[in-house]
Amino acid sequence: MPMFPLPACSHCENMILLYNRIMNPKLSTLLEKIEQALSEAILYDYDAKWQTASFGELPDAITQNKTFITKLIEPNIDLIKLGGKRWRPLFLMLCYQMAKKQVQEQGLEASPLSEKAALSLTPLVEFVHTASLIHDDIEDSADLRRGKPAAHITYGIDHALNSASWLYFEAPVCLETAKLTDTQKLAFYKLYTNELRRLHLGQAMDIYWHKEKAVYPTTQEYLAMVQNKTGTLASLAAQVGFMAGGATQKEAAKYGKIAAQIGVGFQIIDDVINLTKGNPGKKRGDDIVEGKKSLPVLLHIQQFPQDKAKISKLMAQAAKEGINSPAVEKCIELLQKSNCIQQAAEQGALLIHKNCAKFAENPLITELFDLMVPKELS
C-alpha cells in the first residue's frame, strides 16, 4: 500500500513547510516512514486483513459493498491526506530513539520494540489528533480546516461526528496488530484511554468559556485547560515513545509531563499566529469569531480589566457577522496596542525552549521543535 501522497496544494503549506525546512536526512527519512505507517494503519482501499483487524467478522451484506465502510472512514482519510505537521508521531519516534539509546548505554534489562513496531504505534497520536480536529471544527462552527471546507461542511455533521468518533476507537487497533506482550498491551491501553479522557476534559473547559461569553478564565485555568486539551497528545507521544524504547512507565511519565508543557507552548504560539498572520488553512482572527479566550486576550484583560466588556462586545459582533466583520480587526488592534500578543508569544516560545532542553540527549528533538517555531516568535 503506497504512502499518503505529499500534498502539492497551497492550502497544505503547514505540512509542506515542515518537509521543506527539514534539512537533516534522519528527520526526513523518519517522516517518510511515519507516512508509510499511517497509510498502512487505515487502508482506504481496504483489504480483508485490515477489515478484520478493525471490525472483526462482518456480514456479507457489508463486505460485498465498499460503500458502507467508505462512508465511515472517508472524512478521516480526506483530512489525513490533506497533511499536517506530523510533529506528534515524529516526536514519538524521537523519544523512542532516545529511550532505546539510554537502555543500551546503561545496560538496563529491558526489551525495546523494533523500529517497525514503534512506527506502527504512531496512529495512537496522529489519528486522535485528526479525530479531535473534526470534532473541534463542529464545536467551534469552523468553516475551514487546512484550507478546505471542514469535514462537517463537506459530509454533514452526522457523518463527521460518527467518523471522527470511530477514529478514536480505530487508533488503538495498532496495539492489537503490533507484536506486544499482554503486559505491554495493557500498559499502552491504560495510557491511551487516560490521556483521551484528559483531552475531553480540556475540551469541556474550552467549550464552557466559548459558550459563556462573559466568563473569562484566569491564566492558570487557561493553562490547565491547554495542558489537557493540547498538551495531552504531546504527553501521549512522549510516553508511548519512551515505553516503546524500553523505559519504565515511571520514567515515561516523567518525560510525558515535560512534553505536555511543550504542547502548551505550541498552543500559545498557534493562538498568537491566529491573531497575527493567521494559521495555515485558516483566516486571521477566526479565534475572535469563535470567542476564544486565548492567552493574549487574558493577558490584556489582566492589565486592562476595564476592556473586558469591550472585548466581549467585539467577540459577540464577530460571532454574529462572521470572519469579515470589522469587529475582528478592531479586537486584534486592541490586543496589539497593549503588546499582549507579543507577551504571549514570548511565554509560548520560552515554554518550548525550556522544556526541549530536557530532551537534550536527542538533539533531533530540539531541531524538530526549532523548525516549528516561527523565527519572528522564537
Side-chain angles (χ1 to χ4, degrees), residues 5-24:
L6 176 62
C9 43
S10 60
H11 57 263
C12 293
E13 63 178 283
N14 57 348
M15 187 176 183
I16 292 173
L17 284 175
L18 187 57
Y19 269 92
N20 289 344
R21 292 176 67 187
I22 288 179
M23 303 300 292
N24 192 314

Side-chain angles (χ1 to χ4, degrees), residues 196-229:
L196 251 67
R197 289 190 291 269
R198 292 169 64 91
L199 183 151
H200 283 78
L201 171 59
Q203 183 69 347
M205 296 168 73
D206 200 23
I207 292 171
Y208 168 61
W209 293 325
H210 282 199
K211 298 292 186 184
E212 300 295 329
K213 303 300 184 184
V215 176
Y216 284 78
T218 65
T219 54
Q220 291 307 308
E221 287 174 334
Y222 165 82
L223 292 172
M225 178 274 290
V226 176
Q227 183 175 329
N228 282 281
K229 179 180 174 180

Side-chain angles (χ1 to χ4, degrees), residues 282-302:
K282 291 274 192 175
K283 292 184 178 180
R284 163 179 154 120
D286 66 347
D287 281 353
I288 303 298
V289 178
E290 294 168 13
K292 188 170 184 179
K293 279 61 176 280
S294 61
L295 188 58
V297 173
L298 299 179
L299 291 175
H300 181 93
I301 289 175
Q302 266 187 356

Side-chain angles (χ1 to χ4, degrees), residues 295-340:
L295 188 58
V297 173
L298 299 179
L299 291 175
H300 181 93
I301 289 175
Q302 266 187 356
Q303 297 175 36
F304 304 96
Q306 68 273 18
D307 284 346
K308 181 186 288 188
K310 185 175 184 179
I311 289 176
S312 294
K313 185 177 179 180
L314 288 170
M315 285 184 169
Q317 181 183 344
K320 183 179 180 180
E321 297 174 354
I323 191 64
N324 295 317
S325 170
V328 173
E329 289 303 321
K330 286 181 181 178
C331 193
I332 292 175
E333 183 181 351
L334 188 65
L335 299 174
Q336 286 174 330
K337 285 182 178 179
S338 67
N339 203 39
C340 288

Side-chain angles (χ1 to χ4, degrees), residues 39-342:
S39 68
E40 290 174 354
I42 185 167
L43 301 180
Y44 44 97
D45 288 333
Y46 59 90
D47 60 11
K49 184 178 179 181
W50 173 83
Q51 181 177 288
T52 301
S54 297
F55 302 101
E57 187 175 347
L58 290 171
D60 291 343
I62 294 177
T63 59
Q64 293 173 6
N65 187 341
K66 286 189 176 184
T67 300
F68 306 122
I69 294 178
T70 298
K71 289 295 182 184
L72 173 63
I73 69 176
E74 197 172 25
N76 300 312
I77 293 295
D78 282 356
L79 186 53
I80 293 170
K81 288 169 69 176
L82 277 177
K85 300 182 186 73
R86 303 287 197 255
W87 70 263
R88 294 166 187 84
L90 267 171
F91 184 40
L92 185 157
M93 290 304 299
L94 294 175
C95 288
Y96 159 78
Q97 292 175 354
M98 181 173 162
K100 188 175 180 180
K101 185 179 178 182
Q102 288 176 345
V103 166
Q104 293 170 344
E105 291 180 347
Q106 297 172 25
L108 301 176
E109 292 186 10
S111 300
L113 301 182
S114 67
E115 183 187 71
K116 183 177 181 180
L119 282 164
S120 74
L121 301 182
T122 54
L124 287 175
V125 291
E126 193 62 27
F127 286 3
V128 170
H129 175 56
T130 300
S132 71
L133 294 181
I134 294 175
H135 281 171
D136 212 23
D137 287 342
I138 293 171
E139 290 160 354
D140 293 341
S141 300
D143 295 329
L144 294 175
R145 173 62 65 179
R146 293 173 181 164
K148 289 286 189 178
H152 65 281
I153 301 295
T154 301
Y155 295 99
I157 290 178
D158 47 2
H159 271 305
L161 272 175
N162 190 54
S163 182
S165 296
W166 169 79
L167 195 57
Y168 284 129
F169 296 103
E170 176 67 12
V173 169
C174 65
L175 299 177
E176 298 296 333
T177 55
K179 294 180 179 180
L180 304 174
T181 67
D182 287 344
T183 300
Q184 288 173 323
K185 196 182 297 184
L186 178 60
F188 281 122
Y189 266 119
K190 289 176 70 174
L191 170 63
Y192 176 78
T193 53
N194 185 61
E195 294 294 348
L196 251 67
R197 289 190 291 269
R198 292 169 64 91
L199 183 151
H200 283 78
L201 171 59
Q203 183 69 347
M205 296 168 73
D206 200 23
I207 292 171
Y208 168 61
W209 293 325
H210 282 199
K211 298 292 186 184
E212 300 295 329
K213 303 300 184 184
V215 176
Y216 284 78
T218 65
T219 54
Q220 291 307 308
E221 287 174 334
Y222 165 82
L223 292 172
M225 178 274 290
V226 176
Q227 183 175 329
N228 282 281
K229 179 180 174 180
T230 306
T232 193
L233 286 185
S235 173
L236 179 61
Q239 292 186 75
V240 170
F242 270 89
M243 288 165 60
T248 65
Q249 292 181 47
K250 183 178 180 180
E251 186 75 0
K254 180 186 78 173
Y255 282 105
K257 290 179 180 178
I258 299 168
Q261 294 306 306
I262 295 175
V264 172
F266 275 113
Q267 183 60 63
I268 294 171
I269 294 294
D270 271 356
D271 292 344
V272 167
I273 292 173
N274 184 277
L275 298 173
T276 51
K277 64 181 182 179
N279 302 101
K282 291 274 192 175
K283 292 184 178 180
R284 163 179 154 120
D286 66 347
D287 281 353
I288 303 298
V289 178
E290 294 168 13
K292 188 170 184 179
K293 279 61 176 280
S294 61
L295 188 58
V297 173
L298 299 179
L299 291 175
H300 181 93
I301 289 175
Q302 266 187 356
Q303 297 175 36
F304 304 96
Q306 68 273 18
D307 284 346
K308 181 186 288 188
K310 185 175 184 179
I311 289 176
S312 294
K313 185 177 179 180
L314 288 170
M315 285 184 169
Q317 181 183 344
K320 183 179 180 180
E321 297 174 354
I323 191 64
N324 295 317
S325 170
V328 173
E329 289 303 321
K330 286 181 181 178
C331 193
I332 292 175
E333 183 181 351
L334 188 65
L335 299 174
Q336 286 174 330
K337 285 182 178 179
S338 67
N339 203 39
C340 288
I341 296 177
Q342 182 59 33

